[in-house]
Amino acid sequence: MIIEMNHIKKHFDGLGVLHDISFGVDKGEVVSVIGPSGSGKSTLLRCATFLEDIDGGEILYMGQRAAYTDADGKAVYVAPKELRRFRSYCGLVFQQFNLFPHYNILKNLTDAPMKVQGKSKAEAESIAMELLRKMGIEDKAKAYPFQLSGGQQQRVAIARALAMKPEILFFDEPTSALDPELTGEVLKVIRQLAEEKMTMVVVTHEMPFAKAVSNRVIFMADGVIVEQGDPLDVFDAPKEERTKQFLRVFEQ
Amino acid sequence: MTFSKMLSTMSAGMLRTCGLFALTLLLSLPLGMLVALLRKSRLKIVQMLTRGFISVMRGTPLMLQLLAWYFGPYYLFGWSIRGWRFPALLVGFVLNYAAYFAEIYRGGIESIPVGQYEAAEVLGYTKAQTFMRIILPQVIKRIMPSVTNEVITLVKDTSLAFTLAYQEVFSLAKQISASQTSFMPFVIAGVFYFVANYAVEFGMGRIEKALDYYK
């Protein structure tokens, strides 16, 4: 397993957001996480990528513990230096892209590999150009983020995350900030990555996409996993009433 | 006294004004960043002390602060203040301007979207790398107009050095005007300040333009 999260608890100011969530992702698996807003999907991703600290439970990457709950019931993280290694296992694509506006596209892709991973400029640039080619935007290498469309920016953000060679890539509603006509080009890229067996977890509201691309769908509501399984089962024959109710909204 | 004699007498004052201006800027710009970072410290006591410092610096007249820095050592400790005039001026100007710059920096730092920090964190940048490589360059671009304002004010504020009888251009203008019963020295001083600030505007405009390559 690439990542394993067990009995994750998270609350903000006493308000529970994640209640005892457990899930794992195998290598090459594509998992979609769906559910109403406020169900804790984004928080789950932010905990998995160490942007938020968990309040209980454990997180394992490649079978090694990054965080666990001690005898007093408090969540403990490994030392910061260790944690940096765990961070390098995962990448995250944000809803709002969060590209670095003062760097051109190429530098957005090469800066972290050079400054964080110590890659040479030549190596970092060859990886970056290869990725830009894959995303179909190699002609934008010298452009700045503000000169690109939202769809192009999100593809750059995906390439930036991939340039770090993560074991697993998380997507936090990658198309929610995009116009409908730009959504397709980003989904196409994710689909292409799925075909290459990139391990991914995608929080999304794009139901047809989730159904077509993922190996497994997780339906979350009110901080718990209500139902999960093969996309065909979850979408076409949901067992839980809460799932049915949620999916009905999308059918209209 | 002829016009050219006035001009040459005052040119020494212009040099002193420029020196005070340049040194103040050189020291207060980086010191302001330190104050801004202390102001955002996680230690409540550091935060409170810094806030108090900024409050006093902004809440009392600079003229009064200059007098306090100059005469304070004598009245408080009975120390001799011979040769302390310029250092006192510099301390007064630098600390006062550092406080203003600190607040400009803080505003700039707080205006950077949290997503920039998060993107950097996920990519594995250290805190120092995130600040130096991702945040600071964007802060500098955003605060340029406010900094320009402050620098222009500083050019004019150097005239407060006359309070400590420092022979900069404004002090000299006052003296020559009184002894020659002529208004011309003030005209010369006025033109000098205007030209200096015109140069500041031009220079800062160039920097802003250079940072215009992204939005």
Side-chain angles (χ1 to χ4, degrees):
Chain A
M1 279 216 205
I2 303 278
I3 185 176
E4 220 183 314
M5 296 178 88
N6 295 320
H7 308 293
I8 301 296
K9 289 187 189 69
K10 175 72 188 171
H11 42 78
F12 291 113
D13 300 323
L15 193 74
V17 180
L18 299 177
H19 309 283
D20 198 27
I21 294 243
S22 298
F23 89 116
V25 183
D26 278 319
K27 195 168 173 60
E29 220 184 346
V30 179
V31 179
S32 289
V33 184
I34 60 170
S37 50
S39 58
K41 310 179 300 286
S42 289
T43 306
L44 184 65
L45 283 206
R46 293 170 61 83
C47 287
T49 51
F50 306 108
L51 282 177
E52 300 283 356
D53 289 349
I54 55 171
D55 295 315
E58 64 172 359
I59 303 175
L60 293 93
Y61 269 96
M62 324 298 285
Q64 299 162 315
R65 270 208 313 209
Y68 59 96
T69 309
D70 67 8
D72 303 332
K74 273 185 71 177
V76 184
Y77 279 80
V78 294
K81 213 179 155 194
E82 276 282 277
L83 202 59
R84 276 165 63 78
R85 184 166 59 81
F86 283 108
R87 274 215 173 88
S88 73
Y89 292 139
C90 60
L92 174 61
V93 174
F94 299 86
Q95 184 179 340
Q96 300 293 341
F97 332 137
N98 294 341
L99 294 176
F100 302 134
H102 58 306
Y103 286 165
N104 68 24
I105 302 309
L106 187 63
K107 186 132 193 230
N108 261 282
L109 267 60
T110 58
D111 198 64
M114 285 164 66
K115 300 299 167 185
V116 175
Q117 296 179 328
K119 287 201 173 82
S120 73
K121 190 170 185 217
E123 191 188 358
E125 285 188 350
S126 99
I127 293 171
M129 285 314 295
E130 176 65 38
L131 284 166
L132 288 180
R133 219 165 292 137
K134 208 158 129 183
M135 301 289 152
I137 38 178
E138 70 265 41
D139 55 326
K140 301 288 184 196
K142 295 291 176 202
Y144 284 85
F146 80 95
Q147 295 164 316
L148 271 54
S149 72
Q152 291 171 329
Q153 288 192 48
Q154 192 60 300
R155 281 182 281 159
V156 172
I158 295 170
R160 179 177 68 175
L162 288 172
M164 300 297 282
K165 306 254 183 235
E167 296 289 338
I168 182 171
L169 193 50
F170 294 92
F171 293 79
D172 190 4
E173 303 193 22
T175 59
S176 294
L178 298 175
D179 294 339
E181 72 259 39
L182 298 178
T183 312
E185 61 187 59
V186 171
L187 294 183
K188 202 177 117 198
V189 164
I190 302 175
R191 194 185 296 250
Q192 188 187 335
L193 290 172
E195 280 161 16
E196 294 167 15
K197 295 286 168 224
M198 178 76 207
T199 313
M200 295 185 285
V201 176
V202 188
V203 169
T204 185
H205 291 296
E206 301 289 334
M207 297 307 151
F209 169 80
K211 192 171 168 181
V213 175
S214 41
N215 311 110
R216 179 153 52 105
V217 173
I218 293 178
F219 172 66
M220 272 180 78
D222 304 318
V224 295
I225 294 178
V226 175
E227 186 165 353
Q228 62 173 314
D230 189 275
L232 297 177
D233 294 339
V234 174
F235 282 110
D236 297 337
K239 291 187 194 71
E240 303 292 329
E241 189 49 43
R242 188 74 185 80
T243 318
K244 289 177 193 164
Q245 192 191 338
F246 175 74
L247 291 174
R248 221 171 286 140
V249 177
F250 282 90
E251 274 162 19
Q252 287 163 1
Chain B
M1 197 185 247
T2 61
F3 177 78
S4 62
K5 182 79 176 72
M6 273 181 197
L7 205 59
S8 70
T9 312
M10 287 178 71
S11 65
M14 292 176 192
L15 267 174
R16 286 194 200 99
T17 296
C18 290
L20 182 59
F21 166 79
L23 274 175
T24 300
L25 210 54
L26 202 71
L27 296 171
S28 62
L29 280 173
L31 184 65
M33 184 51 79
L34 183 70
V35 175
L37 294 177
L38 290 177
R39 171 79 173 70
K40 290 180 74 68
S41 160
R42 248 171 295 174
L43 293 172
K44 274 273 174 296
I45 180 77
V46 175
Q47 223 183 78
M48 269 171 51
L49 287 172
T50 319
R51 211 186 278 217
F53 165 77
I54 294 172
S55 233
V56 172
M57 286 295 121
R58 295 202 301 183
T60 58
L62 177 52
M63 193 186 283
L64 183 68
Q65 290 170 25
L66 293 176
L67 289 167
W69 286 115
Y70 186 50
F71 293 113
Y74 172 75
Y75 285 119
L76 287 176
F77 312 111
W79 294 348
S80 156
I81 51 175
R82 194 188 301 265
W84 173 240
R85 193 189 313 272
F86 187 72
L89 271 176
L90 202 57
V91 169
F93 274 108
V94 167
L95 291 184
N96 184 276
Y97 271 80
Y100 280 96
F101 284 135
E103 286 297 279
I104 293 176
Y105 294 150
R106 187 172 67 90
I109 292 170
E110 285 174 3
S111 76
I112 304 296
V114 67
Q116 292 289 304
Y117 291 92
E118 292 182 345
E121 189 177 340
V122 170
L123 287 169
Y125 286 96
T126 62
K127 283 225 156 66
Q129 281 176 325
T130 303
F131 186 73
M132 295 306 288
R133 306 189 64 79
I134 310 299
I135 306 301
L136 189 59
Q138 298 184 54
V139 168
I140 291 174
K141 179 185 165 84
R142 286 183 190 212
I143 62 174
M144 279 311 283
S146 316
V147 170
T148 304
N149 248 339
E150 216 49 49
V151 174
I152 285 176
T153 305
L154 174 61
V155 169
K156 295 176 290 182
D157 270 1
T158 53
S159 62
L160 287 172
F162 93 92
T163 328
L164 304 191
Y166 183 66
Q167 302 277 306
E168 44 69 62
V169 71
F170 193 73
S171 297
L172 286 174
K174 250 177 60 129
Q175 285 165 23
I176 300 172
S177 170
S179 68
Q180 304 291 317
T181 54
S182 158
F183 194 72
M184 189 47 82
F186 286 125
V187 174
I188 294 173
V191 170
F192 165 76
Y193 285 118
F194 181 76
V195 170
N197 271 329
Y198 198 81
V200 167
E201 262 179 55
F202 179 78
M204 299 300 269
R206 288 294 286 268
I207 299 177
E208 272 188 56
K209 205 158 205 164
L211 292 174
D212 232 14
Y213 65 90
Y214 72 92
K215 285 198 178 89

PDB file of all heavy atoms in Angstrom, chain B residues 92-118:
ATOM      1  N   GLY B  92      17.421  57.862  15.540  1.00  0.00           N
ATOM      2  CA  GLY B  92      16.044  58.351  15.536  1.00  0.00           C
ATOM      3  C   GLY B  92      15.339  58.084  14.223  1.00  0.00           C
ATOM      4  O   GLY B  92      14.233  57.538  14.198  1.00  0.00           O
ATOM      5  N   PHE B  93      15.995  58.443  13.137  1.00  0.00           N
ATOM      6  CA  PHE B  93      15.382  58.242  11.818  1.00  0.00           C
ATOM      7  C   PHE B  93      15.205  56.761  11.499  1.00  0.00           C
ATOM      8  O   PHE B  93      14.150  56.334  11.026  1.00  0.00           O
ATOM      9  CB  PHE B  93      16.224  58.904  10.719  1.00  0.00           C
ATOM     10  CG  PHE B  93      15.889  60.350  10.514  1.00  0.00           C
ATOM     11  CD1 PHE B  93      16.759  61.349  10.922  1.00  0.00           C
ATOM     12  CD2 PHE B  93      14.696  60.711   9.900  1.00  0.00           C
ATOM     13  CE1 PHE B  93      16.446  62.690  10.729  1.00  0.00           C
ATOM     14  CE2 PHE B  93      14.377  62.051   9.703  1.00  0.00           C
ATOM     15  CZ  PHE B  93      15.251  63.047  10.127  1.00  0.00           C
ATOM     16  N   VAL B  94      16.266  55.975  11.747  1.00  0.00           N
ATOM     17  CA  VAL B  94      16.226  54.557  11.366  1.00  0.00           C
ATOM     18  C   VAL B  94      15.126  53.825  12.127  1.00  0.00           C
ATOM     19  O   VAL B  94      14.320  53.102  11.534  1.00  0.00           O
ATOM     20  CB  VAL B  94      17.597  53.882  11.608  1.00  0.00           C
ATOM     21  CG1 VAL B  94      17.473  52.362  11.516  1.00  0.00           C
ATOM     22  CG2 VAL B  94      18.621  54.390  10.597  1.00  0.00           C
ATOM     23  N   LEU B  95      15.050  54.029  13.450  1.00  0.00           N
ATOM     24  CA  LEU B  95      14.033  53.311  14.236  1.00  0.00           C
ATOM     25  C   LEU B  95      12.625  53.750  13.832  1.00  0.00           C
ATOM     26  O   LEU B  95      11.720  52.929  13.689  1.00  0.00           O
ATOM     27  CB  LEU B  95      14.252  53.535  15.731  1.00  0.00           C
ATOM     28  CG  LEU B  95      15.512  52.877  16.298  1.00  0.00           C
ATOM     29  CD1 LEU B  95      15.590  53.086  17.807  1.00  0.00           C
ATOM     30  CD2 LEU B  95      15.553  51.389  15.975  1.00  0.00           C
ATOM     31  N   ASN B  96      12.439  55.055  13.628  1.00  0.00           N
ATOM     32  CA  ASN B  96      11.126  55.550  13.245  1.00  0.00           C
ATOM     33  C   ASN B  96      10.689  54.975  11.898  1.00  0.00           C
ATOM     34  O   ASN B  96       9.575  54.472  11.749  1.00  0.00           O
ATOM     35  CB  ASN B  96      11.168  57.081  13.195  1.00  0.00           C
ATOM     36  CG  ASN B  96       9.797  57.668  12.898  1.00  0.00           C
ATOM     37  OD1 ASN B  96       9.392  57.772  11.747  1.00  0.00           O
ATOM     38  ND2 ASN B  96       9.065  58.036  13.955  1.00  0.00           N
ATOM     39  N   TYR B  97      11.592  55.034  10.938  1.00  0.00           N
ATOM     40  CA  TYR B  97      11.214  54.530   9.609  1.00  0.00           C
ATOM     41  C   TYR B  97      11.092  53.016   9.579  1.00  0.00           C
ATOM     42  O   TYR B  97      10.263  52.462   8.853  1.00  0.00           O
ATOM     43  CB  TYR B  97      12.162  55.073   8.526  1.00  0.00           C
ATOM     44  CG  TYR B  97      11.628  56.388   8.021  1.00  0.00           C
ATOM     45  CD1 TYR B  97      11.841  57.559   8.737  1.00  0.00           C
ATOM     46  CD2 TYR B  97      10.819  56.444   6.905  1.00  0.00           C
ATOM     47  CE1 TYR B  97      11.282  58.757   8.325  1.00  0.00           C
ATOM     48  CE2 TYR B  97      10.248  57.635   6.481  1.00  0.00           C
ATOM     49  CZ  TYR B  97      10.480  58.787   7.200  1.00  0.00           C
ATOM     50  OH  TYR B  97       9.905  59.949   6.802  1.00  0.00           O
ATOM     51  N   ALA B  98      11.913  52.330  10.390  1.00  0.00           N
ATOM     52  CA  ALA B  98      11.802  50.863  10.453  1.00  0.00           C
ATOM     53  C   ALA B  98      10.401  50.469  10.909  1.00  0.00           C
ATOM     54  O   ALA B  98       9.819  49.505  10.408  1.00  0.00           O
ATOM     55  CB  ALA B  98      12.848  50.285  11.398  1.00  0.00           C
ATOM     56  N   ALA B  99       9.845  51.247  11.859  1.00  0.00           N
ATOM     57  CA  ALA B  99       8.496  50.946  12.358  1.00  0.00           C
ATOM     58  C   ALA B  99       7.467  51.081  11.239  1.00  0.00           C
ATOM     59  O   ALA B  99       6.600  50.219  11.063  1.00  0.00           O
ATOM     60  CB  ALA B  99       8.138  51.875  13.517  1.00  0.00           C
ATOM     61  N   TYR B 100       7.579  52.151  10.459  1.00  0.00           N
ATOM     62  CA  TYR B 100       6.636  52.332   9.344  1.00  0.00           C
ATOM     63  C   TYR B 100       6.816  51.251   8.283  1.00  0.00           C
ATOM     64  O   TYR B 100       5.845  50.682   7.782  1.00  0.00           O
ATOM     65  CB  TYR B 100       6.807  53.720   8.707  1.00  0.00           C
ATOM     66  CG  TYR B 100       6.115  54.801   9.491  1.00  0.00           C
ATOM     67  CD1 TYR B 100       6.810  55.574  10.417  1.00  0.00           C
ATOM     68  CD2 TYR B 100       4.748  55.042   9.318  1.00  0.00           C
ATOM     69  CE1 TYR B 100       6.173  56.571  11.146  1.00  0.00           C
ATOM     70  CE2 TYR B 100       4.103  56.030  10.030  1.00  0.00           C
ATOM     71  CZ  TYR B 100       4.819  56.789  10.944  1.00  0.00           C
ATOM     72  OH  TYR B 100       4.181  57.759  11.661  1.00  0.00           O
ATOM     73  N   PHE B 101       8.081  50.979   7.922  1.00  0.00           N
ATOM     74  CA  PHE B 101       8.333  49.937   6.920  1.00  0.00           C
ATOM     75  C   PHE B 101       7.818  48.587   7.409  1.00  0.00           C
ATOM     76  O   PHE B 101       7.273  47.805   6.630  1.00  0.00           O
ATOM     77  CB  PHE B 101       9.826  49.845   6.593  1.00  0.00           C
ATOM     78  CG  PHE B 101      10.316  50.968   5.709  1.00  0.00           C
ATOM     79  CD1 PHE B 101      11.497  51.640   5.994  1.00  0.00           C
ATOM     80  CD2 PHE B 101       9.597  51.351   4.582  1.00  0.00           C
ATOM     81  CE1 PHE B 101      11.948  52.676   5.181  1.00  0.00           C
ATOM     82  CE2 PHE B 101      10.033  52.383   3.763  1.00  0.00           C
ATOM     83  CZ  PHE B 101      11.218  53.045   4.064  1.00  0.00           C
ATOM     84  N   ALA B 102       7.991  48.323   8.711  1.00  0.00           N
ATOM     85  CA  ALA B 102       7.548  47.039   9.268  1.00  0.00           C
ATOM     86  C   ALA B 102       6.066  46.838   9.021  1.00  0.00           C
ATOM     87  O   ALA B 102       5.626  45.748   8.626  1.00  0.00           O
ATOM     88  CB  ALA B 102       7.845  46.967  10.762  1.00  0.00           C
ATOM     89  N   GLU B 103       5.286  47.899   9.225  1.00  0.00           N
ATOM     90  CA  GLU B 103       3.844  47.770   9.016  1.00  0.00           C
ATOM     91  C   GLU B 103       3.505  47.595   7.538  1.00  0.00           C
ATOM     92  O   GLU B 103       2.563  46.887   7.198  1.00  0.00           O
ATOM     93  CB  GLU B 103       3.117  48.990   9.599  1.00  0.00           C
ATOM     94  CG  GLU B 103       3.067  48.971  11.118  1.00  0.00           C
ATOM     95  CD  GLU B 103       2.281  47.771  11.658  1.00  0.00           C
ATOM     96  OE1 GLU B 103       1.048  47.802  11.696  1.00  0.00           O
ATOM     97  OE2 GLU B 103       2.945  46.778  12.034  1.00  0.00           O
ATOM     98  N   ILE B 104       4.286  48.239   6.674  1.00  0.00           N
ATOM     99  CA  ILE B 104       4.071  48.042   5.234  1.00  0.00           C
ATOM    100  C   ILE B 104       4.387  46.593   4.857  1.00  0.00           C
ATOM    101  O   ILE B 104       3.626  45.936   4.153  1.00  0.00           O
ATOM    102  CB  ILE B 104       4.947  49.014   4.414  1.00  0.00           C
ATOM    103  CG1 ILE B 104       4.480  50.455   4.633  1.00  0.00           C
ATOM    104  CG2 ILE B 104       4.913  48.652   2.934  1.00  0.00           C
ATOM    105  CD1 ILE B 104       5.341  51.504   3.944  1.00  0.00           C
ATOM    106  N   TYR B 105       5.520  46.081   5.365  1.00  0.00           N
ATOM    107  CA  TYR B 105       5.892  44.682   5.080  1.00  0.00           C
ATOM    108  C   TYR B 105       4.823  43.733   5.587  1.00  0.00           C
ATOM    109  O   TYR B 105       4.433  42.785   4.917  1.00  0.00           O
ATOM    110  CB  TYR B 105       7.222  44.319   5.763  1.00  0.00           C
ATOM    111  CG  TYR B 105       8.431  45.058   5.246  1.00  0.00           C
ATOM    112  CD1 TYR B 105       9.509  45.317   6.089  1.00  0.00           C
ATOM    113  CD2 TYR B 105       8.529  45.472   3.922  1.00  0.00           C
ATOM    114  CE1 TYR B 105      10.638  45.980   5.636  1.00  0.00           C
ATOM    115  CE2 TYR B 105       9.652  46.136   3.462  1.00  0.00           C
ATOM    116  CZ  TYR B 105      10.701  46.388   4.327  1.00  0.00           C
ATOM    117  OH  TYR B 105      11.814  47.045   3.884  1.00  0.00           O
ATOM    118  N   ARG B 106       4.361  43.990   6.822  1.00  0.00           N
ATOM    119  CA  ARG B 106       3.373  43.093   7.425  1.00  0.00           C
ATOM    120  C   ARG B 106       2.119  43.033   6.553  1.00  0.00           C
ATOM    121  O   ARG B 106       1.596  41.962   6.259  1.00  0.00           O
ATOM    122  CB  ARG B 106       3.014  43.553   8.834  1.00  0.00           C
ATOM    123  CG  ARG B 106       2.116  42.586   9.579  1.00  0.00           C
ATOM    124  CD  ARG B 106       1.958  42.992  11.023  1.00  0.00           C
ATOM    125  NE  ARG B 106       1.235  44.244  11.170  1.00  0.00           N
ATOM    126  CZ  ARG B 106      -0.093  44.330  11.292  1.00  0.00           C
ATOM    127  NH1 ARG B 106      -0.819  43.240  11.288  1.00  0.00           N
ATOM    128  NH2 ARG B 106      -0.678  45.503  11.414  1.00  0.00           N
ATOM    129  N   GLY B 107       1.673  44.216   6.131  1.00  0.00           N
ATOM    130  CA  GLY B 107       0.501  44.249   5.250  1.00  0.00           C
ATOM    131  C   GLY B 107       0.752  43.444   3.986  1.00  0.00           C
ATOM    132  O   GLY B 107      -0.110  42.692   3.533  1.00  0.00           O
ATOM    133  N   GLY B 108       1.951  43.591   3.430  1.00  0.00           N
ATOM    134  CA  GLY B 108       2.303  42.859   2.209  1.00  0.00           C
ATOM    135  C   GLY B 108       2.331  41.360   2.437  1.00  0.00           C
ATOM    136  O   GLY B 108       1.769  40.586   1.658  1.00  0.00           O
ATOM    137  N   ILE B 109       2.962  40.952   3.535  1.00  0.00           N
ATOM    138  CA  ILE B 109       3.077  39.515   3.831  1.00  0.00           C
ATOM    139  C   ILE B 109       1.687  38.918   4.027  1.00  0.00           C
ATOM    140  O   ILE B 109       1.381  37.840   3.526  1.00  0.00           O
ATOM    141  CB  ILE B 109       3.951  39.293   5.091  1.00  0.00           C
ATOM    142  CG1 ILE B 109       5.405  39.672   4.800  1.00  0.00           C
ATOM    143  CG2 ILE B 109       3.862  37.844   5.566  1.00  0.00           C
ATOM    144  CD1 ILE B 109       6.306  39.716   6.022  1.00  0.00           C
ATOM    145  N   GLU B 110       0.827  39.658   4.735  1.00  0.00           N
ATOM    146  CA  GLU B 110      -0.500  39.112   5.028  1.00  0.00           C
ATOM    147  C   GLU B 110      -1.414  39.102   3.804  1.00  0.00           C
ATOM    148  O   GLU B 110      -2.446  38.444   3.804  1.00  0.00           O
ATOM    149  CB  GLU B 110      -1.141  39.890   6.190  1.00  0.00           C
ATOM    150  CG  GLU B 110      -0.499  39.503   7.508  1.00  0.00           C
ATOM    151  CD  GLU B 110      -0.964  40.335   8.695  1.00  0.00           C
ATOM    152  OE1 GLU B 110      -1.840  41.206   8.517  1.00  0.00           O
ATOM    153  OE2 GLU B 110      -0.429  40.097   9.794  1.00  0.00           O
ATOM    154  N   SER B 111      -1.027  39.850   2.761  1.00  0.00           N
ATOM    155  CA  SER B 111      -1.870  39.881   1.569  1.00  0.00           C
ATOM    156  C   SER B 111      -1.579  38.718   0.620  1.00  0.00           C
ATOM    157  O   SER B 111      -2.300  38.511  -0.354  1.00  0.00           O
ATOM    158  CB  SER B 111      -1.677  41.204   0.819  1.00  0.00           C
ATOM    159  OG  SER B 111      -0.454  41.185   0.110  1.00  0.00           O
ATOM    160  N   ILE B 112      -0.512  37.958   0.888  1.00  0.00           N
ATOM    161  CA  ILE B 112      -0.198  36.819   0.014  1.00  0.00           C
ATOM    162  C   ILE B 112      -1.149  35.665   0.348  1.00  0.00           C
ATOM    163  O   ILE B 112      -1.256  35.278   1.501  1.00  0.00           O
ATOM    164  CB  ILE B 112       1.263  36.359   0.206  1.00  0.00           C
ATOM    165  CG1 ILE B 112       2.236  37.519  -0.030  1.00  0.00           C
ATOM    166  CG2 ILE B 112       1.589  35.181  -0.707  1.00  0.00           C
ATOM    167  CD1 ILE B 112       2.242  38.077  -1.429  1.00  0.00           C
ATOM    168  N   PRO B 113      -1.846  35.114  -0.665  1.00  0.00           N
ATOM    169  CA  PRO B 113      -2.823  34.061  -0.392  1.00  0.00           C
ATOM    170  C   PRO B 113      -2.182  32.862   0.305  1.00  0.00           C
ATOM    171  O   PRO B 113      -1.042  32.500   0.013  1.00  0.00           O
ATOM    172  CB  PRO B 113      -3.315  33.649  -1.785  1.00  0.00           C
ATOM    173  CG  PRO B 113      -2.888  34.721  -2.709  1.00  0.00           C
ATOM    174  CD  PRO B 113      -1.731  35.420  -2.098  1.00  0.00           C
ATOM    175  N   VAL B 114      -2.935  32.270   1.226  1.00  0.00           N
ATOM    176  CA  VAL B 114      -2.427  31.147   2.007  1.00  0.00           C
ATOM    177  C   VAL B 114      -2.067  29.968   1.096  1.00  0.00           C
ATOM    178  O   VAL B 114      -1.196  29.164   1.405  1.00  0.00           O
ATOM    179  CB  VAL B 114      -3.449  30.746   3.095  1.00  0.00           C
ATOM    180  CG1 VAL B 114      -4.712  30.169   2.475  1.00  0.00           C
ATOM    181  CG2 VAL B 114      -2.844  29.775   4.086  1.00  0.00           C
ATOM    182  N   GLY B 115      -2.716  29.908  -0.082  1.00  0.00           N
ATOM    183  CA  GLY B 115      -2.430  28.836  -1.041  1.00  0.00           C
ATOM    184  C   GLY B 115      -0.975  28.812  -1.482  1.00  0.00           C
ATOM    185  O   GLY B 115      -0.440  27.753  -1.813  1.00  0.00           O
ATOM    186  N   GLN B 116      -0.320  29.971  -1.490  1.00  0.00           N
ATOM    187  CA  GLN B 116       1.093  30.029  -1.867  1.00  0.00           C
ATOM    188  C   GLN B 116       1.950  29.287  -0.844  1.00  0.00           C
ATOM    189  O   GLN B 116       2.875  28.563  -1.201  1.00  0.00           O
ATOM    190  CB  GLN B 116       1.552  31.491  -1.993  1.00  0.00           C
ATOM    191  CG  GLN B 116       0.913  32.229  -3.156  1.00  0.00           C
ATOM    192  CD  GLN B 116       1.454  31.747  -4.488  1.00  0.00           C
ATOM    193  OE1 GLN B 116       2.657  31.763  -4.725  1.00  0.00           O
ATOM    194  NE2 GLN B 116       0.575  31.288  -5.360  1.00  0.00           N
ATOM    195  N   TYR B 117       1.635  29.495   0.436  1.00  0.00           N
ATOM    196  CA  TYR B 117       2.362  28.789   1.498  1.00  0.00           C
ATOM    197  C   TYR B 117       2.113  27.288   1.407  1.00  0.00           C
ATOM    198  O   TYR B 117       3.023  26.472   1.554  1.00  0.00           O
ATOM    199  CB  TYR B 117       1.915  29.271   2.882  1.00  0.00           C
ATOM    200  CG  TYR B 117       2.322  30.675   3.235  1.00  0.00           C
ATOM    201  CD1 TYR B 117       1.489  31.757   2.968  1.00  0.00           C
ATOM    202  CD2 TYR B 117       3.540  30.930   3.858  1.00  0.00           C
ATOM    203  CE1 TYR B 117       1.850  33.045   3.303  1.00  0.00           C
ATOM    204  CE2 TYR B 117       3.918  32.213   4.208  1.00  0.00           C
ATOM    205  CZ  TYR B 117       3.064  33.274   3.926  1.00  0.00           C
ATOM    206  OH  TYR B 117       3.426  34.557   4.266  1.00  0.00           O
ATOM    207  N   GLU B 118       0.837  26.941   1.162  1.00  0.00           N
ATOM    208  CA  GLU B 118       0.471  25.522   1.136  1.00  0.00           C
ATOM    209  C   GLU B 118       1.118  24.806  -0.048  1.00  0.00           C
ATOM    210  O   GLU B 118       1.612  23.690   0.098  1.00  0.00           O
ATOM    211  CB  GLU B 118      -1.053  25.373   1.099  1.00  0.00           C
ATOM    212  CG  GLU B 118      -1.696  25.826   2.393  1.00  0.00           C
ATOM    213  CD  GLU B 118      -3.208  25.653   2.407  1.00  0.00           C
ATOM    214  OE1 GLU B 118      -3.796  25.446   1.332  1.00  0.00           O
ATOM    215  OE2 GLU B 118      -3.783  25.736   3.508  1.00  0.00           O
TER     216      GLU B 118
END
